Amino acid sequence: MALRSNTSPVYVAFLFILNHVFMAAGSGLSSESSSGLSAPYDELYYRGVRAYFREDWERAAEFLEKSISTRNKLLQTRRKCHDECLTAGDDKISKLDKEDFTLWNLGILDWIQVRAECVRFCMGRSVSPAVLLPVSSDIEYEFGTRNPYNYLQVTYYKLDKMAKAASAAHTFFVANPTHLEMRNNIEKYRRLLGVKEESFQDREREQEQHWEMYDAAVLAESSTDLVKAVKKWKECVNETLKQTEECRAQCVMASRVIPEEPDTVQGVYERAADLSLSLLSCKQMCVTLVSTRPGRVSALEDFLPLQLEHLHIAQFKAGDLKGAVETLRSLLLFYPTDSDSLSNLELYTQTLEGDTGAQETGPMQEIAKYISRALQEKRLLYFGMANLDFKFSDPDLWTPEDVVPESLRETWRVEKEKLHKKLKQGEKVEEVDDSGFYAGGPVPVVGVTVTRDDQGLNGTNRVVLDGVLSQSECDRVMQLATVAASAGDGYRGRRSPHTPHEKFEGLTVLRALKLAQDGLVKQSDARLLHEIGETVKVLMDSYFRSHSVLYFAYTHLVCRSAIPGHQEGRSDLSHPVHVDNCILEPETRQCWREAPAFTHRDLSAVLYLNDDFEGGEFFFADRDAKTVTARVKPKCGRLVGFTSGPVNPHGVTAVTAGRRCALALWLTTEKHHRDMEREEAENLWAADGKSVVKEERGDGESTSKTARSGRSQGKERSKERERVTGRRDEL
């Protein structure tokens, strides 16, 4: 782990302050500061890491915790000083000619110099000179990726402080959801005595509260709780603005790398202008940082306008027309010519006929200030691009064309057109399945028929097959489930993993076999459960024309039972909309192929056993998780099969009465992710001298397949990933 950088970061603001000013600001500092920040957080972190590798766990915990708290206090001090110096230098900037930038270099330098001097002086009253020194980009990266919590979770584990270890592990995992080792550690902590669910707290939660509010607002909106939705959207807007300010406050003291080649910047004013533009660019990029979820690599485009759009619609539906007008006028500051918004404004004002005050309600002051400041900064930045060869990537889609200098507009239009084209293409790509599987192959099992195909299910790589089981076979498996299925099996022991209104019970092939060996169920019924899985695999392999050997990833007999007395007024789902091998993000229509999703799953199948219950319909949905594209009513012997990727989001409606049972199966082309429990059952049968029905071709065996299209049939996979073991949730 690198702790030092080869480059020399300096504070943006410091380069604008003359040397004698810098010395004067620091000359009166004592060794002890009022806030107690005397040691730099990077030094404390370095000490903690050294103690960690010496296995001096007490010292490691002490220094790592001090490094985190010191950094947090430093950020708070920066924000306090930023707020105190908000108006410093305003008299300088107000004199700038907004149209003629002839004296721009000198004017903007004077403004930033005054503000930087104010911030520096304020910081000098609160922290020691050592704490003011810049840290390396490597240290910033360590804290940005929450790596201190990675060290802390091991440290607290060694100190037998499991609750603190669990909290540190969870905090790290939130920002690193693909870290499989940490995921496994968290599962271990959950099983330890003394570790409660409340131990899994995100210690950096304060910086992400706008995402909690966003999710709460979306949930309230989807539940048609309009009053709550309005409240949550307002909170989300306010918290987003607050987090943006928190981010911008850090830019005044942000690190900046001095150019290695002095020829790249000509003269003191050009260099000062370059660094001042870097300060403004840092503040602009806070838009991207705030609109990016922890652990995600891309931002949610138009994050603030999107919230305003949701808010004004919720206000209108809730009857708050004056509030809806205010919010809509705020949205129009971003997109003043948007036809839908203008039409909505006309509707709102007509509805308010007679209430002149409400009709003339202006936009929110906070949003108006936000827009005004952003436009001012963008003008300066685009001026720098046109005249000083400064590089700036605008984070906003709403930037108006008149902000861009004439010399840059053609390039700007081309780039903007490319971006919009890419976004539109992204919507089309959603319907393309690149898994390498293609529906429409033969059905090799006698008596099984295709009831609905892609066209009938309004999607890609989907099928409904009937006649897979006879009624007597369904009855036998249902009886097996009644006797052997246990509550919470496959759901980490949770009886109601998806909804409190239903009880979930499950059974695997291995457990059925062991119960048969103990004489609790019939051996023939356990073998039937295994054989049904083999039949489903044959059907899936053939119909989806598999391009590679298929292995069972997981097989699970699961029953969902409505809990009596808990069904009135239900608006939830038995199983929310999801995708089997990626994390669906409805608001961006993205599906993230990362943990905790089971990314190795390629084909999914659900075989139904009964229909004597109410509700419980399987449905396919759009990526928005709201639009239902097809419904399937369960019945004995009916199989729903589909590829496990993002083209097939799906869910289950609420089971409001009775018990719904089905055999869920997932198949993979990755051998190291095969179902080891199933193989253990097969080995036990073999040890007893009993053969098992298996339809599997060898790794090197070729199989004749129906000709298919020339589209890529390959699939990029990691060949070095180790098999992840442990309990599995049904997805």
Side-chain angles (χ1 to χ4, degrees):
M1 180 186 303
L3 297 180
R4 290 180 294 182
S5 174
N6 294 327
T7 57
S8 302
V10 296
Y11 292 128
V12 171
F14 294 171
L15 285 185
F16 297 101
I17 305 176
L18 301 178
N19 189 56
H20 72 276
V21 175
F22 178 87
M23 295 300 294
S27 60
L29 292 173
S30 63
S31 58
E32 293 296 329
S33 60
S34 60
S35 65
L37 299 184
S38 56
Y41 73 87
D42 55 343
E43 177 188 339
L44 294 168
Y45 181 59
Y46 180 57
R47 290 182 183 181
V49 172
R50 284 199 303 177
Y52 176 92
F53 285 109
R54 290 198 310 267
E55 299 186 5
D56 185 352
W57 306 118
E58 291 284 356
R59 299 287 283 176
E62 176 188 354
F63 283 120
L64 289 170
E65 289 288 10
K66 280 185 177 179
S67 70
I68 294 171
S69 62
T70 299
R71 181 174 181 269
N72 289 338
K73 289 178 182 177
L74 179 62
L75 298 182
Q76 292 169 6
T77 304
R78 286 181 183 174
R79 175 60 196 268
K80 178 179 72 70
C81 291
H82 172 268
D83 292 346
E84 287 184 9
C85 298
L86 274 178
T87 59
D90 280 1
D91 57 327
K92 308 289 183 182
I93 194 73
S94 63
K95 296 176 183 178
L96 288 178
D97 190 335
K98 301 298 188 298
E99 302 299 330
D100 182 7
F101 285 97
T102 305
L103 300 177
W104 184 86
N105 289 22
L106 294 173
I108 202 69
L109 171 61
D110 201 15
W111 169 56
I112 294 183
Q113 177 179 333
V114 171
R115 182 165 293 189
E117 183 178 347
C118 175
V119 172
R120 170 67 182 178
F121 183 77
C122 175
M123 292 288 293
R125 292 182 316 208
S126 304
V127 299
S128 69
V131 175
L132 287 176
L133 293 173
V135 300
S136 73
S137 57
D138 294 317
I139 289 292
E140 289 182 340
Y141 178 80
E142 290 287 295
F143 280 84
T145 56
R146 303 190 182 183
N147 213 35
Y149 294 101
N150 193 351
Y151 288 119
L152 272 176
Q153 67 97 17
V154 176
T155 300
Y156 283 130
Y157 178 82
K158 295 292 185 180
L159 292 172
D160 200 28
K161 297 180 179 180
M162 297 307 171
K164 288 187 174 182
S167 178
H170 178 75
T171 302
F172 176 80
F173 188 69
V174 167
N176 300 272
T178 60
H179 200 288
L180 295 182
E181 182 181 359
M182 191 62 71
R183 178 189 172 200
N184 293 334
N185 288 345
I186 289 174
E187 292 307 314
K188 292 176 183 177
Y189 290 134
R190 289 189 190 279
R191 295 194 291 269
L192 291 175
L193 291 176
V195 178
K196 300 178 180 178
E197 191 61 34
E198 52 264 30
S199 299
F200 297 93
Q201 296 292 328
D202 182 3
R203 292 177 53 178
E204 300 286 333
R205 173 177 172 268
E206 187 176 348
Q207 301 172 19
E208 301 144 15
Q209 289 187 10
H210 59 301
W211 285 112
E212 289 186 17
M213 295 171 183
Y214 181 89
D215 293 337
V218 171
L219 180 61
E221 192 176 82
S222 63
S223 303
T224 63
D225 188 344
L226 297 175
V227 174
K228 185 176 181 180
V230 169
K231 178 185 176 183
K232 292 301 179 182
W233 281 123
K234 284 183 178 179
E235 291 176 352
C236 186
V237 169
N238 291 332
E239 187 64 24
T240 299
L241 292 172
K242 176 186 173 184
Q243 292 297 336
T244 302
E245 288 304 308
E246 292 285 350
C247 175
R248 290 171 58 87
Q250 306 306 318
C251 288
V252 180
M253 305 291 285
S255 58
R256 166 73 171 167
V257 178
I258 299 177
E260 295 180 2
E261 300 179 14
D263 293 338
T264 57
V265 181
Q266 300 294 328
V268 63
Y269 293 119
E270 287 84 353
R271 179 173 296 191
D274 178 74
L275 292 173
S276 66
L277 288 170
S278 297
L279 168 62
L280 296 181
S281 178
C282 173
K283 291 187 173 185
Q284 282 282 298
M285 293 314 295
C286 284
V287 172
T288 300
L289 295 175
V290 171
S291 58
T292 303
R293 280 185 186 269
R296 296 285 188 263
V297 295
S298 59
L300 180 55
E301 297 288 359
D302 268 349
F303 187 44
L304 191 54
L306 176 66
Q307 295 174 45
L308 294 173
E309 186 172 12
H310 279 278
L311 175 58
H312 84 75
I313 293 173
Q315 287 172 319
F316 175 72
K317 291 181 177 179
D320 181 11
L321 294 179
K322 182 178 179 181
V325 170
E326 180 186 44
T327 303
L328 189 50
R329 290 194 190 277
S330 302
L331 177 60
L332 282 165
L333 293 177
F334 292 92
Y335 293 102
T337 61
D338 181 70
S339 58
D340 289 338
S341 296
L342 291 172
S343 297
N344 285 330
L345 182 60
E346 184 179 359
L347 170 64
Y348 295 172
T349 52
Q350 287 177 353
T351 308
L352 284 166
E353 187 175 359
D355 189 346
T356 306
Q359 288 178 325
E360 296 177 354
T361 302
M364 305 175 193
Q365 289 188 0
E366 298 86 349
I367 300 298
K369 290 178 181 178
Y370 177 95
I371 292 290
S372 176
R373 181 182 64 190
L375 291 176
Q376 186 181 65
E377 291 174 352
K378 289 177 189 292
R379 286 191 178 96
L380 294 171
L381 286 161
Y382 278 110
F383 173 85
M385 290 179 68
N387 298 279
L388 299 170
D389 198 28
F390 183 77
K391 301 293 187 292
F392 168 62
S393 178
D394 196 330
D396 293 309
L397 296 174
W398 58 266
T399 302
E401 186 173 305
D402 60 8
V403 169
V404 183
E406 194 68 42
S407 60
L408 295 177
R409 284 186 185 176
E410 188 58 37
T411 304
W412 180 82
R413 290 190 194 107
V414 171
E415 291 299 321
K416 194 167 186 178
E417 183 62 30
K418 284 182 180 178
L419 178 59
H420 284 292
K421 188 176 180 181
K422 183 178 179 181
L423 292 174
K424 289 180 180 178
Q425 286 178 340
E427 295 178 2
K428 296 177 182 178
V429 169
E430 289 171 3
E431 304 306 321
V432 177
D433 190 342
D434 61 355
S435 63
F437 295 94
Y438 302 97
V443 178
V445 179
V446 176
V448 177
T449 58
V450 177
T451 305
R452 296 166 74 182
D453 57 8
D454 284 355
Q455 185 175 0
L457 292 168
N458 301 314
T460 304
N461 281 337
R462 304 172 177 178
V463 69
V464 174
L465 302 174
D466 280 333
V468 178
L469 294 179
S470 65
Q471 187 61 55
S472 63
E473 289 172 325
C474 287
D475 293 341
R476 287 174 59 188
V477 180
M478 285 290 292
Q479 179 61 29
L480 177 65
T482 301
V483 175
S486 61
D489 179 84
Y491 300 94
R492 300 186 181 97
R494 293 173 293 168
R495 292 166 55 91
S496 303
H498 302 304
T499 169
H501 304 290
E502 298 174 22
K503 181 178 70 172
F504 284 67
E505 299 168 293
L507 178 68
T508 62
V509 172
L510 178 61
R511 190 162 179 274
L513 167 59
K514 290 184 176 180
L515 291 173
Q517 289 177 331
D518 293 338
L520 298 176
V521 300
K522 294 180 180 179
Q523 185 73 239
S524 59
D525 290 343
R527 288 171 60 80
L528 175 62
L529 186 64
H530 175 274
E531 291 168 4
I532 291 171
E534 296 294 336
T535 300
V536 171
K537 181 182 166 192
V538 169
L539 290 167
M540 295 288 286
D541 179 88
S542 180
Y543 186 80
F544 289 104
R545 298 182 278 201
S546 178
H547 51 80
S548 183
V549 180
L550 287 178
Y551 302 92
F552 285 98
Y554 192 40
T555 306
H556 194 218
L557 173 58
V558 60
C559 296
R560 309 159 187 257
S561 302
I563 299 176
H566 290 257
Q567 304 304 313
E568 186 175 351
R570 279 189 67 178
S571 60
D572 63 341
L573 297 171
S574 177
H575 201 144
V577 175
H578 63 284
V579 177
D580 284 352
N581 69 9
C582 55
I583 302 171
L584 181 63
E585 195 173 70
E587 61 268 24
T588 63
R589 302 175 64 85
Q590 297 292 322
C591 207
W592 303 92
R593 199 79 180 265
E594 59 188 36
F598 298 103
T599 57
H600 56 277
R601 291 176 175 174
D602 294 301
L603 292 173
S604 305
V606 185
L607 178 60
Y608 298 105
L609 303 174
N610 66 318
D611 59 4
D612 54 340
F613 53 86
E614 294 179 12
E617 281 191 345
F618 177 96
F619 64 89
F620 287 107
D622 186 73
R623 286 201 200 188
D624 62 6
K626 297 178 181 178
T627 307
V628 175
T629 58
R631 294 179 180 271
V632 179
K633 185 172 178 61
K635 74 172 188 177
C636 168
R638 172 165 288 175
L639 174 72
V640 180
F642 49 95
T643 50
S644 305
V647 298
N648 285 318
H650 56 280
V652 179
T653 62
V655 177
T656 56
R659 187 173 189 236
R660 172 193 189 270
C661 294
L663 182 63
L665 306 98
W666 294 270
L667 303 169
T668 179
T669 58
E670 299 182 42
K671 187 174 182 179
H672 55 287
H673 280 295
R674 65 192 185 280
D675 189 346
M676 302 305 291
E677 283 192 9
R678 188 180 183 89
E679 291 195 4
E680 182 180 347
E682 292 167 354
N683 292 334
L684 288 173
W685 268 313
D688 290 340
K690 299 173 182 177
S691 61
V692 292
V693 176
K694 287 185 68 65
E695 296 286 345
E696 180 175 270
R697 63 184 192 267
D699 289 348
E701 184 178 343
S702 63
T703 303
S704 176
K705 290 288 176 186
T706 307
R708 57 186 100 149
S709 71
R711 290 180 291 175
S712 171
Q713 299 169 15
K715 187 172 182 182
E716 206 173 301
R717 303 184 184 281
S718 171
K719 299 298 183 182
E720 299 177 357
R721 285 187 294 177
E722 296 180 357
R723 173 177 168 77
V724 180
T725 58
R727 298 179 183 179
R728 289 157 287 193
D729 270 350
E730 178 197 14
L731 295 179

Short mmCIF file of all heavy atoms in Angstrom, two decimals, residues 153-187:
data_model
loop_
_atom_site.label_atom_id
_atom_site.label_comp_id
_atom_site.label_asym_id
_atom_site.label_seq_id
_atom_site.Cartn_x
_atom_site.Cartn_y
_atom_site.Cartn_z
N GLN A 153 -11.58 -3.40 10.92
CA GLN A 153 -12.43 -4.59 11.17
C GLN A 153 -11.59 -5.79 11.59
O GLN A 153 -11.98 -6.55 12.46
CB GLN A 153 -13.29 -4.89 9.95
CG GLN A 153 -12.58 -5.34 8.70
CD GLN A 153 -12.54 -6.85 8.54
OE1 GLN A 153 -13.31 -7.58 9.18
NE2 GLN A 153 -11.64 -7.32 7.69
N VAL A 154 -10.41 -5.94 11.00
CA VAL A 154 -9.50 -7.02 11.42
C VAL A 154 -8.95 -6.74 12.82
O VAL A 154 -8.88 -7.63 13.67
CB VAL A 154 -8.34 -7.19 10.42
CG1 VAL A 154 -7.37 -8.26 10.92
CG2 VAL A 154 -8.87 -7.56 9.04
N THR A 155 -8.60 -5.47 13.05
CA THR A 155 -8.04 -5.08 14.35
C THR A 155 -9.01 -5.38 15.48
O THR A 155 -8.64 -5.98 16.51
CB THR A 155 -7.67 -3.59 14.34
OG1 THR A 155 -6.70 -3.36 13.31
CG2 THR A 155 -7.10 -3.16 15.68
N TYR A 156 -10.26 -4.97 15.31
CA TYR A 156 -11.26 -5.21 16.36
C TYR A 156 -11.59 -6.69 16.49
O TYR A 156 -11.91 -7.17 17.59
CB TYR A 156 -12.52 -4.39 16.08
CG TYR A 156 -12.37 -2.93 16.43
CD1 TYR A 156 -12.72 -1.93 15.52
CD2 TYR A 156 -11.88 -2.55 17.67
CE1 TYR A 156 -12.58 -0.59 15.84
CE2 TYR A 156 -11.74 -1.20 18.00
CZ TYR A 156 -12.09 -0.23 17.08
OH TYR A 156 -11.94 1.09 17.41
N TYR A 157 -11.51 -7.41 15.39
CA TYR A 157 -11.72 -8.86 15.47
C TYR A 157 -10.63 -9.49 16.35
O TYR A 157 -10.91 -10.35 17.19
CB TYR A 157 -11.69 -9.47 14.07
CG TYR A 157 -11.85 -10.97 14.04
CD1 TYR A 157 -13.10 -11.56 14.12
CD2 TYR A 157 -10.74 -11.80 13.95
CE1 TYR A 157 -13.25 -12.94 14.11
CE2 TYR A 157 -10.86 -13.18 13.94
CZ TYR A 157 -12.13 -13.75 14.01
OH TYR A 157 -12.25 -15.11 14.00
N LYS A 158 -9.39 -9.04 16.16
CA LYS A 158 -8.28 -9.57 16.95
C LYS A 158 -8.41 -9.18 18.42
O LYS A 158 -7.97 -9.91 19.31
CB LYS A 158 -6.95 -9.05 16.41
CG LYS A 158 -6.62 -9.54 15.00
CD LYS A 158 -6.33 -11.03 14.97
CE LYS A 158 -5.87 -11.47 13.58
NZ LYS A 158 -5.59 -12.94 13.53
N LEU A 159 -9.04 -8.03 18.66
CA LEU A 159 -9.24 -7.56 20.03
C LEU A 159 -10.52 -8.12 20.65
O LEU A 159 -10.86 -7.76 21.77
CB LEU A 159 -9.29 -6.04 20.06
CG LEU A 159 -7.97 -5.31 19.73
CD1 LEU A 159 -8.22 -3.81 19.60
CD2 LEU A 159 -6.92 -5.59 20.79
N ASP A 160 -11.22 -8.98 19.90
CA ASP A 160 -12.46 -9.60 20.35
C ASP A 160 -13.54 -8.56 20.62
O ASP A 160 -14.37 -8.72 21.52
CB ASP A 160 -12.21 -10.45 21.61
CG ASP A 160 -13.32 -11.47 21.84
OD1 ASP A 160 -13.95 -11.89 20.84
OD2 ASP A 160 -13.58 -11.83 23.01
N LYS A 161 -13.53 -7.49 19.84
CA LYS A 161 -14.58 -6.47 19.92
C LYS A 161 -15.44 -6.62 18.66
O LYS A 161 -15.30 -5.86 17.69
CB LYS A 161 -13.97 -5.08 20.03
CG LYS A 161 -13.15 -4.90 21.31
CD LYS A 161 -12.54 -3.49 21.41
CE LYS A 161 -11.75 -3.33 22.69
NZ LYS A 161 -11.15 -1.98 22.81
N MET A 162 -16.32 -7.61 18.69
CA MET A 162 -17.01 -8.03 17.48
C MET A 162 -18.02 -7.00 16.96
O MET A 162 -18.20 -6.87 15.75
CB MET A 162 -17.71 -9.37 17.72
CG MET A 162 -16.73 -10.50 18.03
SD MET A 162 -15.44 -10.63 16.77
CE MET A 162 -14.34 -11.82 17.54
N ALA A 163 -18.67 -6.29 17.86
CA ALA A 163 -19.64 -5.29 17.41
C ALA A 163 -18.93 -4.18 16.64
O ALA A 163 -19.41 -3.73 15.59
CB ALA A 163 -20.39 -4.72 18.61
N LYS A 164 -17.79 -3.74 17.13
CA LYS A 164 -17.02 -2.70 16.44
C LYS A 164 -16.45 -3.24 15.13
O LYS A 164 -16.37 -2.52 14.13
CB LYS A 164 -15.89 -2.19 17.33
CG LYS A 164 -16.37 -1.33 18.49
CD LYS A 164 -15.20 -0.72 19.25
CE LYS A 164 -15.68 0.24 20.32
NZ LYS A 164 -14.56 0.89 21.02
N ALA A 165 -16.05 -4.51 15.14
CA ALA A 165 -15.54 -5.13 13.91
C ALA A 165 -16.63 -5.18 12.85
O ALA A 165 -16.39 -4.89 11.67
CB ALA A 165 -15.01 -6.53 14.21
N ALA A 166 -17.84 -5.53 13.27
CA ALA A 166 -18.96 -5.62 12.33
C ALA A 166 -19.28 -4.25 11.74
O ALA A 166 -19.54 -4.11 10.55
CB ALA A 166 -20.19 -6.19 13.03
N SER A 167 -19.26 -3.22 12.58
CA SER A 167 -19.53 -1.87 12.11
C SER A 167 -18.47 -1.40 11.12
O SER A 167 -18.80 -0.82 10.07
CB SER A 167 -19.57 -0.89 13.30
OG SER A 167 -19.78 0.43 12.86
N ALA A 168 -17.21 -1.67 11.40
CA ALA A 168 -16.13 -1.29 10.49
C ALA A 168 -16.24 -2.05 9.17
O ALA A 168 -16.05 -1.48 8.09
CB ALA A 168 -14.77 -1.55 11.15
N ALA A 169 -16.55 -3.33 9.25
CA ALA A 169 -16.69 -4.15 8.04
C ALA A 169 -17.83 -3.63 7.17
O ALA A 169 -17.70 -3.51 5.95
CB ALA A 169 -16.92 -5.61 8.42
N HIS A 170 -18.95 -3.32 7.80
CA HIS A 170 -20.10 -2.82 7.05
C HIS A 170 -19.79 -1.47 6.41
O HIS A 170 -20.15 -1.23 5.24
CB HIS A 170 -21.31 -2.68 7.98
CG HIS A 170 -22.53 -2.13 7.32
ND1 HIS A 170 -23.31 -2.88 6.46
CD2 HIS A 170 -23.10 -0.90 7.37
CE1 HIS A 170 -24.31 -2.14 6.02
NE2 HIS A 170 -24.20 -0.94 6.55
N THR A 171 -19.12 -0.60 7.15
CA THR A 171 -18.76 0.73 6.62
C THR A 171 -17.87 0.60 5.39
O THR A 171 -18.06 1.31 4.40
CB THR A 171 -18.05 1.56 7.70
OG1 THR A 171 -18.89 1.67 8.85
CG2 THR A 171 -17.71 2.95 7.20
N PHE A 172 -16.92 -0.31 5.43
CA PHE A 172 -16.04 -0.52 4.28
C PHE A 172 -16.82 -1.13 3.11
O PHE A 172 -16.67 -0.71 1.96
CB PHE A 172 -14.90 -1.46 4.67
CG PHE A 172 -13.99 -1.83 3.52
CD1 PHE A 172 -13.00 -0.96 3.08
CD2 PHE A 172 -14.14 -3.04 2.86
CE1 PHE A 172 -12.17 -1.30 2.01
CE2 PHE A 172 -13.32 -3.38 1.79
CZ PHE A 172 -12.33 -2.50 1.37
N PHE A 173 -17.71 -2.07 3.40
CA PHE A 173 -18.41 -2.81 2.35
C PHE A 173 -19.39 -1.92 1.58
O PHE A 173 -19.60 -2.11 0.38
CB PHE A 173 -19.15 -4.00 2.95
CG PHE A 173 -19.75 -4.92 1.93
CD1 PHE A 173 -18.94 -5.69 1.11
CD2 PHE A 173 -21.11 -5.03 1.78
CE1 PHE A 173 -19.48 -6.54 0.16
CE2 PHE A 173 -21.67 -5.87 0.83
CZ PHE A 173 -20.84 -6.63 0.03
N VAL A 174 -19.97 -0.93 2.26
CA VAL A 174 -20.90 -0.03 1.59
C VAL A 174 -20.24 0.65 0.39
O VAL A 174 -20.86 0.81 -0.66
CB VAL A 174 -21.42 1.03 2.59
CG1 VAL A 174 -22.13 2.17 1.87
CG2 VAL A 174 -22.38 0.40 3.59
N ALA A 175 -18.98 1.03 0.55
CA ALA A 175 -18.26 1.69 -0.54
C ALA A 175 -17.49 0.72 -1.42
O ALA A 175 -16.95 1.13 -2.45
CB ALA A 175 -17.29 2.72 0.03
N ASN A 176 -17.46 -0.56 -1.05
CA ASN A 176 -16.72 -1.57 -1.83
C ASN A 176 -17.56 -2.84 -1.96
O ASN A 176 -17.18 -3.90 -1.47
CB ASN A 176 -15.38 -1.88 -1.14
CG ASN A 176 -14.49 -0.66 -1.01
OD1 ASN A 176 -13.72 -0.34 -1.89
ND2 ASN A 176 -14.60 0.01 0.13
N PRO A 177 -18.72 -2.75 -2.61
CA PRO A 177 -19.65 -3.89 -2.65
C PRO A 177 -19.14 -5.09 -3.44
O PRO A 177 -19.75 -6.16 -3.36
CB PRO A 177 -20.91 -3.29 -3.31
CG PRO A 177 -20.41 -2.14 -4.10
CD PRO A 177 -19.26 -1.58 -3.32
N THR A 178 -18.05 -4.94 -4.20
CA THR A 178 -17.52 -6.08 -4.95
C THR A 178 -16.45 -6.82 -4.16
O THR A 178 -15.88 -7.78 -4.67
CB THR A 178 -16.91 -5.61 -6.29
OG1 THR A 178 -15.85 -4.69 -6.03
CG2 THR A 178 -17.95 -4.94 -7.16
N HIS A 179 -16.18 -6.39 -2.94
CA HIS A 179 -15.14 -7.00 -2.12
C HIS A 179 -15.70 -8.28 -1.49
O HIS A 179 -16.33 -8.26 -0.44
CB HIS A 179 -14.69 -6.02 -1.04
CG HIS A 179 -13.35 -6.32 -0.44
ND1 HIS A 179 -13.13 -7.38 0.41
CD2 HIS A 179 -12.15 -5.72 -0.59
CE1 HIS A 179 -11.86 -7.39 0.79
NE2 HIS A 179 -11.24 -6.39 0.19
N LEU A 180 -15.46 -9.41 -2.14
CA LEU A 180 -16.09 -10.67 -1.71
C LEU A 180 -15.59 -11.12 -0.34
O LEU A 180 -16.35 -11.69 0.44
CB LEU A 180 -15.81 -11.75 -2.75
CG LEU A 180 -16.45 -11.53 -4.13
CD1 LEU A 180 -16.13 -12.70 -5.06
CD2 LEU A 180 -17.95 -11.36 -4.02
N GLU A 181 -14.32 -10.87 -0.05
CA GLU A 181 -13.79 -11.28 1.24
C GLU A 181 -14.52 -10.56 2.38
O GLU A 181 -14.87 -11.17 3.39
CB GLU A 181 -12.30 -11.00 1.31
CG GLU A 181 -11.66 -11.44 2.63
CD GLU A 181 -10.18 -11.13 2.69
OE1 GLU A 181 -9.64 -10.60 1.71
OE2 GLU A 181 -9.56 -11.42 3.73
N MET A 182 -14.78 -9.25 2.18
CA MET A 182 -15.49 -8.50 3.22
C MET A 182 -16.93 -8.98 3.33
O MET A 182 -17.48 -9.04 4.44
CB MET A 182 -15.44 -7.01 2.91
CG MET A 182 -15.92 -6.14 4.08
SD MET A 182 -14.88 -6.34 5.56
CE MET A 182 -13.40 -5.50 5.02
N ARG A 183 -17.52 -9.32 2.21
CA ARG A 183 -18.88 -9.85 2.26
C ARG A 183 -18.93 -11.13 3.09
O ARG A 183 -19.82 -11.32 3.92
CB ARG A 183 -19.37 -10.12 0.84
CG ARG A 183 -20.76 -10.72 0.78
CD ARG A 183 -21.08 -11.16 -0.64
NE ARG A 183 -22.32 -11.89 -0.67
CZ ARG A 183 -22.68 -12.71 -1.63
NH1 ARG A 183 -21.89 -12.90 -2.66
NH2 ARG A 183 -23.83 -13.34 -1.60
N ASN A 184 -17.96 -11.99 2.89
CA ASN A 184 -17.91 -13.23 3.66
C ASN A 184 -17.65 -12.95 5.14
O ASN A 184 -18.22 -13.61 6.02
CB ASN A 184 -16.82 -14.15 3.11
CG ASN A 184 -17.13 -14.66 1.72
OD1 ASN A 184 -18.30 -14.75 1.34
ND2 ASN A 184 -16.11 -14.98 0.95
N ASN A 185 -16.80 -11.95 5.41
CA ASN A 185 -16.54 -11.59 6.81
C ASN A 185 -17.81 -11.11 7.49
O ASN A 185 -18.07 -11.45 8.66
CB ASN A 185 -15.46 -10.50 6.88
CG ASN A 185 -14.08 -11.01 6.53
OD1 ASN A 185 -13.84 -12.21 6.51
ND2 ASN A 185 -13.17 -10.10 6.25
N ILE A 186 -18.59 -10.31 6.77
CA ILE A 186 -19.83 -9.80 7.36
C ILE A 186 -20.78 -10.94 7.69
O ILE A 186 -21.44 -10.94 8.74
CB ILE A 186 -20.49 -8.79 6.39
CG1 ILE A 186 -19.67 -7.50 6.35
CG2 ILE A 186 -21.93 -8.49 6.80
CD1 ILE A 186 -20.15 -6.49 5.33
N GLU A 187 -20.84 -11.93 6.81
CA GLU A 187 -21.70 -13.10 7.09
C GLU A 187 -21.21 -13.85 8.33
O GLU A 187 -22.02 -14.35 9.12
CB GLU A 187 -21.72 -14.02 5.87
CG GLU A 187 -22.43 -13.43 4.67
CD GLU A 187 -23.83 -12.96 5.03
OE1 GLU A 187 -24.56 -13.71 5.71
OE2 GLU A 187 -24.18 -11.84 4.65
#
